[in-house]
Amino acid sequence: MKLDQLYAGDHCKVLKAAIPAGGKMPRHHATSDAFVIVIKGTATLVFDDGESTLKTGTTFLIPGREPHVLEVSEDFEAYIIIGPDAGIEMEKGTTGQNP
């Protein structure tokens, strides 16, 4: 899994996620709303109360602090727009990055 910060400004931060097929981003949440723009691939967002499929060309808004898992079925790349002071926090017992 690769998560890079592309931009940080006064109003937002832009991250790029790249995860190969079969990969998984463990249970985590953003500390602000996260707007996801999928540029390649297919993945499933798994929430406590359901699932949503992400695929090339789709966008999705994840409410801030909403825990979820990302399971990738086809090489996946997406831009993630979050608040300027926000980060991605892994749930206890998982590891990851906090841009």
Side-chain angles (χ1 to χ4, degrees):
M1 174 182 85
K2 188 172 182 184
L3 189 60
D4 294 319
Q5 181 173 297
L6 302 179
Y7 171 81
D10 292 338
H11 303 288
C12 71
K13 189 184 301 185
V14 179
L15 312 174
K16 184 176 181 186
I19 305 169
K24 182 176 182 177
M25 190 169 180
R27 189 172 167 89
H28 65 282
H29 67 269
T31 58
S32 74
D33 288 350
F35 189 72
V36 180
I37 304 166
V38 183
I39 55 176
K40 177 183 173 183
T42 305
T44 301
L45 279 172
V46 181
F47 297 95
D48 290 341
D49 61 352
E51 298 181 351
S52 293
T53 300
L54 302 177
K55 59 184 179 179
T56 303
T58 62
T59 59
F60 193 85
L61 179 63
I62 304 171
R65 301 202 178 278
E66 180 75 28
H68 56 280
V69 173
L70 182 69
E71 298 174 345
V72 177
S73 53
E74 182 182 315
D75 288 353
F76 184 79
E77 293 182 15
Y79 294 115
I80 304 159
I81 302 168
I82 57 177
D85 298 322
I88 306 293
E89 295 184 355
M90 296 296 159
E91 298 286 316
K92 289 187 177 190
T94 64
T95 59
Q97 300 176 18
N98 187 15

